[in-house]
Amino acid sequence: MTTRRSTPSERFDRNVQRRSAQVLKQRVLEQQRTEFEKALAWAAEQDAIERAAALIVSARRRYLIGHGKSLGYASMLAVDLSAGLSGVHLVDGGSARPLDVLSDIRQGDLLIAVSLSRYRRETVDVASAYARRGGDLVLITDADDTPLSAHATTAIVIGAESASYANSPTSVVLALHLLATLTIASSKGAGRRLRDRDDLAAELGLYTEET
């Protein structure tokens, strides 16, 4: 059974309400410093990110999914991966819809699911169905007993403690940054793809620094 975790309103009542801005800022900064140090120690000792990177770089097609706040994390990882890899698709209900992805799972395909407390049902339903149909699942989550833990080929389990009403993004962003970096570093064609994208960006004048 998945352990019940606190809601934003409960964390607001416990951590935020009736505290001065100065006291609250100091509490959040101290908590973030502690969490970041824990995240660095965890990343140095664990090999979950390396295992996930190896799966991603060897995949034929890579799909990413998340809902709510987790969609933002999935989108960020998709952008970073697509800079050096082809076949990266964000399952956002637009160009890549869950039904299309589930009905066309092929050998070598991979789904990367960002599923953080309180675990949006849409992500759980699609990712578990993907795994049941034989697809590999890389799970990025914040506990060992999440609804998708039993379905994952490999899981990156990160901390998300917070002194605020919102769960902290610190450990999540660090893990995603490491994952993208190790994946792209392992891809043989990443350097060429990055150079081609730089040339195209300059040709199209995408950035103000190049105009």
Side-chain angles (χ1 to χ4, degrees):
M1 177 180 292
T2 302
T3 303
R4 182 187 180 280
R5 291 169 177 83
S6 59
T7 67
S9 64
E10 290 169 342
R11 290 192 294 273
F12 177 84
D13 291 340
R14 182 176 66 243
N15 299 331
V16 178
Q17 194 174 33
R18 293 184 296 276
R19 297 188 186 278
S20 70
Q22 185 177 8
V23 169
L24 180 59
K25 182 179 76 171
Q26 190 61 34
R27 283 171 55 90
V28 171
L29 289 175
E30 289 175 357
Q31 185 275 326
Q32 288 295 285
R33 184 180 296 109
T34 298
E35 183 183 346
F36 189 64
E37 290 173 354
K38 288 181 179 178
L40 289 175
W42 170 86
E45 295 173 359
Q46 302 295 322
D47 63 355
I49 295 177
E50 289 90 333
R51 293 198 306 270
L55 285 171
I56 295 170
V57 78
S58 63
R60 178 176 175 271
R61 294 185 297 183
R62 306 145 182 106
Y63 297 99
L64 295 97
I65 191 170
H67 288 83
K69 190 174 180 179
S70 294
L71 176 60
Y73 296 133
S75 300
M76 183 181 72
L77 181 58
V79 169
D80 286 346
L81 290 177
S82 64
L85 295 173
S86 61
V88 177
H89 311 280
L90 181 66
V91 184
D92 58 359
S95 59
R97 298 177 299 178
L99 185 61
D100 296 332
V101 173
L102 290 174
S103 62
D104 189 32
I105 299 174
R106 303 176 188 176
Q107 185 174 5
D109 287 353
L110 175 73
L111 179 66
I112 306 164
V114 183
S115 181
L116 305 171
S117 178
R118 299 179 281 168
Y119 315 115
R120 284 286 293 264
R121 188 175 300 278
E122 303 99 311
T123 303
V124 172
D125 289 347
V126 173
S128 59
Y130 188 91
R132 288 196 302 271
R133 284 160 175 76
D136 285 325
L137 173 65
V138 168
L139 175 63
I140 299 164
T141 190
D142 53 10
D144 291 314
D145 61 345
T146 71
L148 284 172
S149 296
H151 300 280
T153 307
T154 191
I156 298 172
V157 182
I158 53 184
E161 296 180 4
S162 181
S164 175
Y165 68 93
N167 285 331
S168 170
T170 302
S171 297
V172 184
V173 174
L174 174 61
L176 296 182
H177 179 59
L178 285 171
L179 179 58
T181 301
L182 295 182
T183 301
I184 298 306
S186 301
S187 175
K188 293 181 179 179
R192 175 190 54 77
R193 183 176 175 86
L194 287 165
R195 288 189 293 272
D196 288 346
R197 287 168 64 94
D198 285 347
D199 292 341
L200 285 169
E203 179 181 334
L204 296 174
L206 296 183
Y207 304 107
T208 56
E209 63 188 27
E210 296 172 353
T211 60

